[in-house]
Amino acid sequence: MIRHVTRALLFFSICIAAILLYSVFYSGYYYTYYGDELVHVNTVYLIAHGYRPFTDFFIIYSPLFHYLLLPFYTFFGFTLETIQASKFLMIGLFALQLLIGYAFMSKLFTKLTGLIFVFLILLDPFTVFAGMQLRPDNLLMLVFFAGLLALVYAISYRGIFMGHNSALWFVSGCLMGLAVVVSLKSIVMVGILSFALFVYFLKKQTWREYVAYGIGGVAVGVLFCLLWIVQGSFLSMIDQLIVYPKAMSDGIWFPTLLGFFYQPNNTFVYGLAGKPVTWYIAVLLPIFALAGILYSFMAFRKQVRKYFFVITFFCMLIFQYAFLLTIKCLFIQYYLTVNWILAFFAAVFVTALVGCIKHPIGRNNMYTLLLRVFLF
């Protein structure tokens, strides 16, 4: 009897997951174009016709994302059909991001936590809205997640390459450096993570792995700078990527502040007026994340690897929000660098909740935790 119930629940879960995936990918393909998307396509067009970024035309984005799209548009042409078809590329990047996120969470915690993490990402209306658009943020999150996956394997294993795991540390550093040069929105995440690793190795008094990590990140940064030095546009690149974006944001007359997109009656983001289910999901995700933070600090205190990521991601969340507060006008894609951390902690909390349901002895601890969250 129990076996039949388990199979029925498994089948039901697979059906729900398939419907959710179809709904999310359908939304990513058919949803209205955001203005920035066509700007990015135009940037690809300019590069394809021999114009140089930062020198021949103004751009406040790193053009690595546009170079990635260049072969696709060069082969199929710059037509409306090609622009629509490129949505498949973005959906593919997003799907790959989900797979890597699942692999990371499964390696660090359990497969159930990985599945819950992916489920929460798919439910998050901010991620669904901006995560599959034609913009560098999609590539940024993919590269960053890949760096995290390489990092958790580097910390977990020894003896993989040439008697040690320096190669994995080097790959992780390269990916983190690449995330920064893809978009400077990742600089807080990568900076906090790199500093946490520095403290980690300072405590261990071993530096070989951290040096490999640092060399990988610096190498990518140097290559990126050399690319624009050779083209004679290094100083223009610095101005347009670092100086002008803040000046342009400060010049917006009617900015959207932090928290603006959490307001109800936003049909553009939530699909319906009032407070639809998607609005409640957006509001509940930070609450569940707070519960996950409290639980993680209590549960993983003696588990070094998990506790390292818990502390690092908590600090990352705080500093990322502080960074967003310094930006006068926040667009919805800025939340991509925050909401995955909320999903991380929320997934840990939901996993613990499921564990308490399976093991009644732990229910009192969960009730105490929930009480702390809501009293806080």
Side-chain angles (χ1 to χ4, degrees), residues 296-371:
S296 298
F297 276 107
M298 293 187 296
F300 305 129
R301 197 176 307 170
K302 296 182 179 180
Q303 302 180 45
V304 177
R305 185 182 56 162
K306 292 180 181 178
Y307 203 57
F308 168 79
F309 282 103
V310 166
I311 294 177
T312 301
F313 288 171
F314 173 71
C315 294
M316 197 181 290
L317 183 65
I318 297 300
F319 278 91
Q320 193 66 31
Y321 271 125
F323 170 69
L324 295 182
L325 284 172
T326 65
I327 302 174
K328 182 179 179 181
C329 185
L330 283 177
F331 299 102
I332 194 168
Q333 61 268 21
Y334 283 82
Y335 290 89
L336 292 176
T337 57
V338 171
N339 282 23
W340 76 267
I341 310 178
L342 299 180
F344 171 88
F345 285 111
V348 171
F349 173 68
V350 174
T351 304
L353 200 60
V354 172
C356 286
I357 295 173
K358 289 183 177 179
H359 306 285
I361 296 177
R363 287 181 182 174
N364 289 334
N365 292 333
M366 185 55 61
Y367 294 151
T368 303
L369 178 59
L370 287 171
L371 183 61

Side-chain angles (χ1 to χ4, degrees), residues 14 20 72 75 119 171-172 179 192 226 231 243 245 274 317 346:
I14 292 174
L20 180 60
F72 180 82
F75 183 80
F119 183 72
V171 170
S172 179
I192 294 296
L226 283 176
Q231 295 192 18
V243 178
L317 183 65

Side-chain angles (χ1 to χ4, degrees), residues 54 152 166 175 179 182 223 234 272 316 367 373:
F54 308 119
V152 74
S166 295
L175 290 169
V182 166
L223 289 175
F234 178 74
L272 294 171
M316 197 181 290
Y367 294 151
V373 170

Side-chain angles (χ1 to χ4, degrees), residues 67-283:
Y67 281 115
L68 176 67
L69 293 178
L70 185 60
F72 180 82
Y73 279 95
T74 301
F75 183 80
F76 291 103
F78 291 87
T79 64
L80 293 177
E81 291 77 14
T82 305
I83 295 175
Q84 186 64 31
S86 61
K87 286 280 191 176
F88 284 118
L89 292 178
M90 298 301 102
I91 293 173
L93 291 181
F94 182 70
L96 189 57
Q97 175 188 326
L98 293 177
L99 288 174
I100 295 175
Y102 167 78
F104 168 74
M105 295 295 287
S106 298
K107 180 62 184 174
L108 187 60
F109 297 105
T110 64
K111 292 181 179 179
L112 177 61
T113 310
L115 289 173
I116 293 172
F117 174 76
V118 171
F119 183 72
L120 292 174
I121 290 289
L122 291 172
L123 287 178
D124 176 33
F126 293 0
T127 301
V128 173
F129 183 91
M132 291 171 282
Q133 291 179 345
L134 290 163
R135 59 172 67 254
D137 308 73
N138 198 345
L139 179 61
L140 155 66
M141 297 308 302
L142 172 62
V143 173
F144 182 77
F145 273 28
L148 286 179
L149 181 61
L151 181 61
V152 74
Y153 271 95
I155 291 177
S156 302
Y157 290 118
R158 303 187 69 86
I160 296 179
F161 297 101
M162 297 175 293
H164 55 82
N165 56 359
S166 295
L168 275 175
W169 286 100
F170 177 77
V171 170
S172 179
C174 287
L175 290 169
M176 291 303 170
L178 183 59
V180 172
V181 298
V182 166
S183 174
L184 290 179
K185 293 173 186 175
S186 66
I187 196 166
V188 174
M189 298 189 298
V190 175
I192 294 296
L193 179 63
S194 300
F195 179 76
L197 287 172
F198 174 80
V199 175
Y200 173 80
F201 283 107
L202 182 64
K203 187 176 180 180
K204 289 183 62 177
Q205 290 297 307
T206 58
W207 296 103
R208 182 176 59 186
E209 288 88 352
Y210 189 73
V211 169
Y213 172 87
I215 290 175
V218 171
V220 172
V222 169
L223 289 175
F224 181 78
C225 292
L226 283 176
L227 173 64
W228 307 115
I229 291 174
V230 170
Q231 295 192 18
S233 55
F234 178 74
L235 294 180
S236 298
M237 181 270 291
I238 296 295
D239 284 338
Q240 293 177 39
L241 290 186
I242 299 176
V243 178
Y244 285 106
K246 187 178 188 309
M248 293 174 64
S249 177
D250 292 343
I252 297 176
W253 285 10
F254 303 102
T256 52
L257 303 177
L258 183 64
F260 170 81
F261 292 103
Y262 285 100
Q263 298 179 19
N265 293 308
N266 191 333
T267 57
F268 194 54
V269 175
Y270 300 118
L272 294 171
K275 297 179 180 179
V277 174
T278 46
W279 180 84
Y280 282 103
I281 292 172
V283 172

